[in-house]
Amino acid sequence: MTQASHHIGTATGTARTDQLLEMYRRMRRIRRFEERASDLYKATEIPGFLHLSIGQEASAVGACWPLGARDGITSTHRGHGHVLAKGLDSASMMAELMGKDAGTCHGRGGSMHIADPGLGIYGANGIVGAGLPIAAGVATAAKLRAAGDVVVAFFGDGAVAQGMFHEAVNLAAVWDLPVVFLCENNHYSEFSPESEQHRAPLSARAAGYGIEYQHVDGNDVLAVAQTMTGLVARLRAGAGPVLLEAETYRWHGHYEGDPERYRPAEEVAAAKQRDPLLIARRQLDPAAADAVDEEIDKEIEAAIDWARSLPEPAPETLHDYVSAPRLPVAEPAPLPADAEIFRSMDAVRLALEHELTADPGVFVAGIDVGAGGNVFGLTRGLAQAFPGRVRDTPISESAIVGTAVGAAMAGMKPVVEIMYMDFIGVCLDMLLNQAAKLRFMTGGRASMPLVVRTQFGAGRSSGSQHSQSLEALLAHIPGLTVVMPSNPADTYGLLRAAIQDPNPVVFVENRLQYGLKGPKPPADHLVPLGRAKVIREGTDITLVSWSRMVQDALAAAELLAGEGVSVEVIDLRTIAPLDRETVLASLARTNRLVIAHEAVRDFGVGAELSAMAVDEGFWHLDAPVTRVAPPSVPAPYAPSLEHVWLPSRDTIADTVRRIAAV
């Protein structure tokens, strides 16, 4: 079933009746799909969670009525109606709910995670409110392309309590994005009535963001379609975001199996008197409506029979869709000794400038990256050179990364900045549950070429909330690539490779290295992701490090060379995926392994390398594997404490001496 945009504002007579009959058909498809899904869930043919929107069909169909194939929607965990109304076929959806390989997402997403960006469906979402920042990203892509596309972000009244709601609506208002934030107010946030969740109406909230508010009867499909037709036309013409409240009611519980002790049966029965299908049916010829019912019943039963006949995903496909295949990048040739010298901070700016010039799909966004040129001056001049493509954001980390997720799915290549690595915690959902998982959960339908740039660095009394090296946290998330360069040339080559990569990359710079000088590579310089490098050869011991600690490791190796200890130094460069082969090959040559890193010692990347060494490299070991890292204490502020907390050239050298002597 393909989706075409419709207009209802001027329809009269037969045309209006035909449109209403088509709306009824779409509502009936949603109703019957969900009724049968409920039956299948009870019969254990649907294995996972199931959240139904029975009673809310009019808001889904009416909202999507004026949308075309290029327009986008984001949905919720109660999203079957939205995606069916936008044009997804019921058969592949039923197969998805049953966990079949031919399902919409190859059985990787299930009921809560159905998506098809090719149809403008940017995902149902198991995280309450998470679709709103993603919608802002899709709308950002639409605005940058200036093709008149619009986005509808469906959410429930419970999502209004989420910080992501505030961040997304505020960002959309500041950027004048073409998005309708459509609240399907069914008066319950899971088990809690609306009155216990909010003290301010949505009309007041819209006023607070400086955007338009409208209200519509969410059970009257004609009213919803008429309202949305007007709003969409204005957004296509350049108007900013709108908050639309569609008042409705869900007949079933929060989830299938919900005992529903929180609301009286009489309330549900009264709500059913406002059945959206009955309201539409009263205006139709009964015979025509009956024919639609019969048609849809046959469609859904055929979908069920087809889905039942299909196999589940084969076990050998477990690893499919986690990451997109990378284009091969060769290790660059060594830079000439007489190369021009530049700094790491120059490398960041030049890499961004190169990719902005080369690819119109690239844009840069973050706090003060535009007019201010970044807190460290890294993006100075780029906003003027690339108008509209280097964008200042509010201080809203979830909206920043969510915008990147949505824009990436919509075909852009966003590079967004989180000012300090410590602030990753503020927007972790957008990395943990969205950027990292959406390609997998959609069976490869969602493309995710985005970069999150951030920085860290202890040693200058920045304290516990501005010094953390959190790469282990990020590397533990399947689907994320984590990059930490140690020198200016690699910063340039790895950042360019990250922007060109089809996967979500967290690119972590060390701010204490922004002034570090080194040879400047040619403009086409690329460094392969996922590949470590032996940067100093040796025979007695392998020393692995990354980021700024590599410089201390090299200094320790130079010191020890004068004592007759030959140290091989490996710069990981990419933390995840981990280049196990390079480390194990070095261990096979030296038979000893020391790991030095700036992150705290416990449960870190060093622990993963140690486990690898005693598992895959056990028979090569002649001494214990040892880590040099800060103790499990937050980064201290006082210089006297920070000095003993942070490893240095000397502490690394002391450890290498001890292990080399074993």
Side-chain angles (χ1 to χ4, degrees), residues 47-124:
F49 295 121
L50 193 66
H51 305 79
L52 301 181
S53 63
I54 293 175
Q56 301 181 189
E57 295 87 354
S59 57
V61 170
C64 291
W65 185 255
L67 302 184
R70 285 206 323 251
D71 298 317
I73 67 167
T74 61
S75 182
T76 71
H77 58 276
R78 202 179 308 285
H80 304 147
H82 308 143
V83 299
L84 283 167
K86 186 60 171 69
L88 200 57
D89 69 288
S90 56
S92 70
M93 277 183 61
M94 192 62 76
E96 183 62 29
L97 266 59
M98 292 185 181
K100 301 303 180 74
D101 186 58
T104 309
C105 303
H106 294 290
R108 267 70 171 182
S111 171
M112 289 192 287
H113 306 113
I114 291 174
D116 187 349
L119 293 175
I121 299 167
Y122 293 95

